[in-house]
């Protein structure tokens, strides 16, 4: 394999939606490359096109112009090389935690004892082995997202795509999930594209934070996060961390101010 080749290469990507006969340009010339085993967070004001970008990479949304390559191959639809975790709970309510993971593994061609063993192993990875037989309505929000993470990791994708996966969780559960994800990622390494509105979360988890400009979305800048690993939660109070946090926040804030000014100019006609 070519070590120079990014795992994910997005070039000149544009996407237009139609809403009540009106064209809405969601993405306009997105360029972003993610290296193998790199953890990149995507941040930006609401409506700037983050989810649209992730759905396109997942192969769940089409696009107009540009190129999306995974390992140099164009994305043509969803695939087992990319695992996806969304903000809303997407477990099947009539299946237990174990069966939810097995369901994904079965779709990926796994069978019999291997199927059951792998599902169990991945529930253990997220610390839920004791809850294998629980149904989603018997699990807390954080536990449901742990099952979703186990499910996405179970068929061993090369890339994990996460759209505000901890967005619906309370602050404490969210911290636990961030630590869990960091620990899993530092041990198993895979390429991650992670969307969040939480700047602290983005800086804590990532190798690099990509900031999107306002709608139509484009990558405004990417900020490397050279904090040492393994990362423990206490780094979030270090001077180095706070400086990175400040830089990312400033960049996003510039975009929201620009958006407000544009709205005002439009209103004044
Ligand atoms: N299916 C759709 N049909 C029409 N317009 C859409 C559709 N999906 C997204 N859009 C529009 O595209 C733009 C980008 O939306 P997107 O959901 O990607 O933003 P986002 O950055 O994920 O926002 P948030 O942070 O609020 O989740 C918005 O103007 C949105 O209204
Ligand atoms: Mg979104």
């Amino acid at each position: 394999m070519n070590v120079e080749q990014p795992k994910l290469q997005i070039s000149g990507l544009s996407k237009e939606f139609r809403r009540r006969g009106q064209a809405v340009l969601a993405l306009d010339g997105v360029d972003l490359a993610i290296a193998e085993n790199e953890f990149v967070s995507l941040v930006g004001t609401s409506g700037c096109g983050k989810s649209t970008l992730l759905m396109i990479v997942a192969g769940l949304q089409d696009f107009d112009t540009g190129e999306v390559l995974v390992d140099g191959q164009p994305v043509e639809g969803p695939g087992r090389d990319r695992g996806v975790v969304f903000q809303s709970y997407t477990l099947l309510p009539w299946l237990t935690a174990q069966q939810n993971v097995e369901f994904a593994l079965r779709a990926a061609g796994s069978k019999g004892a291997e199927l059951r063993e792998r599902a169990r192993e991945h529930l253990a990875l997220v610390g839920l082995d004791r809850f294998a037989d629980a149904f989603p309505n018997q699990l807390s929000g954080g536990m449901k997202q742990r099952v979703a993470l186990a499910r996405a990791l179970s068929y061993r994708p090369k890339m994990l795509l996460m759209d505000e996966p901890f967005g619906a969780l309370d602050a404490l559960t969210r911290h636990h999930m961030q630590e869990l994800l960091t620990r899993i990622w530092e041990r198993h390494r895979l390429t991650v594209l992670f969307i969040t509105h939480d700047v602290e979360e983005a800086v804590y988890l990532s190798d690099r934070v990509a900031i999107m400009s306002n709608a139509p979305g484009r990558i405004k800048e990417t900020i490397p996060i050279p904090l040492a690993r393994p990362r423990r939660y206490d780094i979030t109070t270090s001077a180095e961390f706070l400086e990175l946090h400040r830089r990312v926040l400033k960049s996003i804030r510039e975009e929201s101010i620009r958006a407000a000014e544009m709205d005002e100019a439009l209103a004044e006609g």
Side-chain angles (χ1 to χ4, degrees), residues 20-228:
R20 284 188 238 106
Q22 292 255 342
V24 179
L25 190 58
L27 301 175
D28 186 18
V30 172
D31 295 311
L32 180 66
I34 304 187
E36 175 134 50
N37 296 341
E38 191 182 21
F39 196 123
V40 174
S41 285
L42 189 60
V43 297
T45 49
S46 188
C48 73
K50 302 179 295 297
S51 296
T52 302
L53 180 58
L54 184 132
M55 293 291 277
I56 290 172
V57 176
L60 296 168
Q61 176 77 261
D62 62 358
F63 54 95
D64 301 321
T65 62
E67 208 173 39
V68 181
L69 305 176
V70 173
D71 287 327
Q73 297 300 313
V75 163
E76 273 159 3
R80 288 196 295 276
D81 55 338
R82 285 152 288 145
V84 189
V85 181
F86 297 103
Q87 173 177 357
S88 57
Y89 310 128
T90 51
L91 302 180
L92 299 170
W94 58 87
L95 298 180
T96 64
Q98 169 86 17
Q99 289 165 341
N100 263 282
V101 180
E102 288 180 358
F103 186 84
L105 279 166
R106 195 171 292 117
S110 187
K111 286 201 272 293
E114 191 225 340
L115 170 88
R116 280 190 297 281
E117 186 43 46
R118 258 225 233 172
R120 204 156 269 281
E121 177 195 315
H122 283 86
L123 284 175
L125 183 70
V126 298
L128 281 184
D129 26 350
R130 287 188 305 119
F131 291 87
D133 298 326
F135 286 92
N137 68 0
Q138 298 170 313
L139 299 173
S140 70
M143 287 164 142
K144 280 189 266 216
Q145 283 308 65
R146 274 147 76 189
V147 178
L149 181 60
R151 181 178 60 185
L153 291 172
S154 67
Y155 45 90
R156 304 200 182 126
K158 297 283 164 19
M159 198 184 295
L160 195 55
L161 306 171
M162 305 179 89
D163 193 351
E164 300 189 51
F166 311 145
L169 305 177
D170 66 89
L172 196 63
T173 308
R174 192 173 180 130
H175 284 176
H176 286 315
M177 292 298 291
Q178 291 162 359
E179 287 186 300
L180 176 76
L181 181 60
T182 301
R183 237 182 300 127
I184 291 175
W185 183 83
E186 284 172 354
R187 198 168 332 135
H188 298 272
R189 293 286 161 139
L190 73 169
T191 310
V192 183
L193 179 61
F194 186 96
I195 296 178
T196 181
H197 278 286
D198 182 335
V199 175
E200 182 175 290
E201 178 170 272
V203 174
Y204 174 66
L205 294 173
S206 310
D207 295 321
R208 218 149 40 99
V209 177
I211 295 127
M212 268 182 103
S213 68
N214 250 306
R218 199 173 299 131
I219 303 299
K220 180 192 173 195
E221 63 173 325
T222 70
I223 297 180
I225 309 295
L227 299 168

